[in-house]
């Protein structure tokens, strides 16, 4: 029995020292990014420094073993969060931008200018944590004009996209944003008649500038008291709405495309083919290498 107890204690202590991690920038500039390989049902870390990278199943930081989220995680399995699978080579930054714009043009019908803006915004999302302020991409128009298609296509290329609808409750959004630090994508974001509109607007109003987390009071069972908790909400965001935001400050944070102004291009497929997901993963892998090569440039 004593031997079994020692083994159980050893296992318990090992798990107590393990903490889940999605991504991080270490003090020495090392980048840590979680990868998800759905064909193998496997998650692991890509650890990069000075343009070189390696794959590891765990990472030790100051005596704590960091582990990636489980491949069976509900967010990964249901495509709520999309990740790259492995860094992939690309010819040049210009070629990568062209490839992104061609991908968007193939599946989405927006103005040529906004198509180009969206292409550069995808690149920006992969190094957004090097900046202090960010704009949002916003689509505005009636139902059926292609807003959701834009979010699905462009969002699938952004850095750690987090897909949510306007009907999503606020509590998980705070936690997912804080844990993943990715690109929030909200469809049907008209919050005028929602009881939770004020909370979601807080995310959007505070999320364009670094250093303005949202504070929420949470109950701690052991201490039997409420403790304030800061949730980081800074990051890129794609939003689709039917009307204007009532908050003028929030309107000023958006680069807006008015949808439904022209007839839909005939070469845009009505349904997204399965190859769209495969092409998006291929581009995310190249964009991961773009992050590795450019995140710490000039620092």
């Amino acid at each position: 029995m004593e031997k079994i107890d020692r083994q159980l204690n050893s296992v318990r202590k090992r798990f107590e020292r393990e903490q889940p991690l999605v991504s991080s920038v270490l003090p020495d500039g090392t980048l840590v990014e979680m990868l998800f390989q759905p064909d193998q049902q496997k998650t692991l870390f890509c650890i990069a420094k000075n343009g070189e990278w390696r794959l590891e199943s765990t990472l030790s930081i100051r005596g704590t073993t960091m582990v990636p989220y489980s491949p069976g995680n509900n967010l990964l399995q249901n495509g709520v969060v999309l990740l790259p699978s492995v860094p992939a080579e690309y010819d040049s930054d210009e070629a990568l931008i062209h490839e992104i714009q061609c991908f968007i043009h193939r599946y989405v019908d927006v103005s040529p200018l906004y198509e180009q803006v969206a292409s550069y915004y995808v690149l920006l999302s992969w190094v957004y944590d090097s900046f202090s302020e960010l704009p949002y991409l916003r689509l505005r128009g009636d139902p059926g004009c292609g807003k959701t298609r834009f979010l699905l296509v462009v969002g699938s290329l952004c850095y750690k996209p987090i897909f949510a609808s306007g009907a999503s409750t606020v509590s998980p959004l705070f936690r997912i944003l804080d844990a993943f630090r990715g690109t929030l994508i909200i469809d049907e974001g008209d919050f005028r008649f929602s009881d939770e509109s004020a909370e979601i607007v807080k995310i959007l109003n505070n999320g364009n500038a670094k250093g303005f987390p949202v504070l929420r009071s949470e109950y701690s069972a052991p201490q039997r008291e409420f403790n304030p908790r800061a949730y980081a909400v800074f990051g890129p965001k794609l939003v689709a709405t039917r009307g204007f935001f009532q908050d003028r400050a929030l309107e000023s944070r958006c680069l807006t495309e008015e949808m439904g102004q022209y007839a839909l291009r005939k070469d845009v497929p009505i349904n997204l083919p399965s190859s769209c997901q495969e092409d998006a993963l291929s581009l995310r892998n190249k964009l991961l290498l773009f992050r590795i090569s450019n995140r710490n440039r000039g620092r």
Side-chain angles (χ1 to χ4, degrees), residues 260-274:
Q261 302 295 307
Y262 308 97
L264 182 67
R265 289 197 342 258
K266 293 183 179 180
D267 61 322
V268 176
I270 296 177
N271 297 308
L272 289 177
S274 58

Side-chain angles (χ1 to χ4, degrees), residues 20-41:
L21 178 69
V22 178
S23 64
S24 181
V25 181
L26 303 185
D28 65 351
T30 298
L31 300 180
V32 182
E33 294 292 339
M34 190 174 89
L35 307 177
F36 177 47
Q37 299 174 344
D39 54 337
Q40 301 181 35
Q41 283 299 296

Side-chain angles (χ1 to χ4, degrees), residues 139-148 187-188 190 240-243 257-261:
L139 291 302
R140 184 171 59 222
D142 295 329
C145 63
K147 303 189 303 294
T148 300
D187 196 8
E188 298 299 336
D190 295 275
T241 66
R242 282 168 285 178
E257 170 83 341
E258 298 287 350
M259 302 293 286
Q261 302 295 307

Side-chain angles (χ1 to χ4, degrees), residues 21 32-34 44-47 54-56 58 66-68:
L21 178 69
V32 182
E33 294 292 339
M34 190 174 89
L44 65 163
F45 288 131
C46 173
I47 303 172
R54 69 183 192 276
L55 303 182
E56 300 285 353
T58 62
M66 313 306 294
V67 296

Side-chain angles (χ1 to χ4, degrees), residues 39-84:
D39 54 337
Q40 301 181 35
Q41 283 299 296
K42 182 179 180 180
T43 53
L44 65 163
F45 288 131
C46 173
I47 303 172
K49 185 178 181 180
N50 298 327
E52 298 182 354
W53 56 272
R54 69 183 192 276
L55 303 182
E56 300 285 353
S57 57
T58 62
L59 174 67
S60 179
I61 301 178
R62 294 186 293 275
T64 301
T65 300
M66 313 306 294
V67 296
Y69 278 58
S70 164
N73 183 279
N74 186 267
L75 297 175
L76 300 179
Q77 289 293 326
N78 288 286
V80 176
V81 178
L82 300 179
L83 299 173

Side-chain angles (χ1 to χ4, degrees), residues 74-146:
N74 186 267
L75 297 175
L76 300 179
Q77 289 293 326
N78 288 286
V80 176
V81 178
L82 300 179
L83 299 173
S85 59
V86 67
E89 296 286 342
Y90 58 92
D91 292 335
S92 64
D93 290 352
E94 292 76 13
L96 182 58
I97 292 171
H98 179 72
E99 194 172 351
I100 292 169
Q101 189 165 352
C102 288
F103 178 85
I104 295 173
H105 184 82
R106 191 180 310 137
Y107 300 114
V108 174
D109 187 11
V110 290
S111 66
L113 176 60
Y114 206 74
E115 187 179 277
Q116 188 174 21
V117 168
S119 302
Y120 279 96
Y121 194 85
V122 168
L123 284 184
L124 172 65
S125 73
W126 283 84
V127 291
Y128 85 89
D129 48 341
S130 293
F131 297 87
S132 299
E133 295 182 359
L134 295 169
Y136 304 147
L137 290 190
R138 192 267 294 271
L139 291 302
R140 184 171 59 222
D142 295 329
C145 63

